[in-house]
Amino acid sequence: MISQNNIESLVLKGRITSDFEYEKALTADRKLKLCLNENPQYKTLRYKLRDIIDNYESAKWSEVDKIDDDKPFENDETEYIEEQERLFLENRKKAIENKIIECNVTLENLASILGRKSKSYMLELMNGIKPFSLRDLIIINRVFNIQMDLLIPRFLSKHDEAEVEEALKKLDNPKVKVSFDEVVLY
């Protein structure tokens, strides 16, 4: 994951380096479009993100005859993973919203509980514009009794899985292994 959709870090990086980041950027672009009504400052961030997306598309898809036959399948897998992340973030947001409503707590109250700045900052966290910290999620778990599986994703991108598998091969220790199949995607 790009830091739980940390759009600003992608914009600061200034380029997209994988299909997975591309899918994340497209999702972030849609989120920013929705958030423009709440906070017009996202307009500049969205323009920068759109430029990065356009540059990636131009570089990646400009010569159709050079596209690898496996590329559509890779994109399907990338889109699937991105959709799972989107669903996870949406479910987490709903779980938090339902609990704060149930407890008669406002976003300002939640911001105070988490030691955060403001309601607008909380909206950025809730909408995936900025990432929750692990500390935030632990506090939310303890205060509102929301299951950690709803707060912290248990899946990795295919890229991260491949890196872990490669590191384990190099380690060559039969006592250390990983299973990616046990994780249920939302």
Side-chain angles (χ1 to χ4, degrees):
M1 270 191 212
I2 298 177
S3 234
Q4 302 284 337
N5 271 343
N6 192 344
I7 299 162
E8 291 173 338
S9 68
L10 181 60
V11 169
L12 283 174
K13 188 166 101 173
R15 61 188 170 90
I16 296 171
T17 56
S18 69
D19 288 341
F20 185 69
E21 281 185 352
Y22 172 70
E23 291 298 329
K24 299 293 290 176
L26 291 176
T27 299
D29 179 55
R30 288 189 295 273
K31 285 183 179 187
L32 285 172
K33 183 177 180 181
L34 294 173
C35 292
L36 283 175
N37 293 338
E38 296 170 6
N39 194 338
Q41 81 179 31
Y42 294 134
K43 193 174 191 176
T44 303
L45 185 60
R46 185 168 183 245
Y47 283 141
K48 291 176 183 178
L49 182 63
R50 288 293 318 151
D51 286 343
I52 293 168
I53 291 169
D54 290 343
N55 291 339
Y56 183 79
E57 289 172 344
S58 295
K60 196 75 170 177
W61 301 101
S62 62
E63 298 180 31
V64 176
D65 56 331
K66 292 184 180 180
I67 296 174
D68 186 326
D69 289 341
D70 291 334
K71 194 50 127 175
F73 298 111
E74 290 172 17
N75 284 342
D76 288 346
E77 187 174 292
T78 301
E79 287 175 15
Y80 175 76
I81 293 167
E82 172 58 27
E83 179 63 9
Q84 296 309 307
E85 287 186 19
R86 187 193 66 73
L87 289 173
F88 171 81
L89 292 172
E90 185 178 307
N91 288 336
R92 177 173 67 186
K93 178 180 177 180
K94 285 179 185 174
I96 295 170
E97 285 175 340
N98 289 341
K99 278 294 188 172
I100 64 175
I101 289 169
E102 179 184 315
C103 295
N104 200 26
V105 173
T106 66
L107 276 179
E108 291 92 349
N109 298 144
L110 182 56
S112 177
I113 291 167
L114 297 177
R116 295 298 186 160
K117 304 170 194 169
S118 64
K119 177 183 174 182
S120 63
Y121 191 79
M122 286 306 305
L123 286 169
E124 291 176 352
L125 293 174
M126 296 288 284
N127 289 316
I129 306 285
K130 294 190 186 260
F132 277 103
S133 71
L134 182 57
R135 177 187 172 278
D136 292 339
L137 296 174
I138 291 170
I139 291 170
I140 290 170
N141 163 263
R142 297 217 176 153
V143 171
F144 298 106
N145 198 27
I146 298 174
Q147 295 175 4
M148 281 304 233
D149 281 356
L150 290 173
L151 298 174
I152 299 175
R154 296 181 53 226
F155 52 88
L156 296 172
S157 70
K158 290 294 180 189
H159 174 72
D160 288 342
E161 283 182 10
E163 283 185 352
V164 169
E165 287 173 341
E166 185 63 31
L168 289 175
K169 281 181 192 174
K170 288 178 184 176
L171 181 62
D172 193 28
N173 182 339
K175 292 182 180 182
V176 181
K177 55 187 170 183
V178 67
S179 172
F180 296 115
D181 298 332
E182 296 175 15
V183 177
V184 176
L185 297 177
Y186 299 89

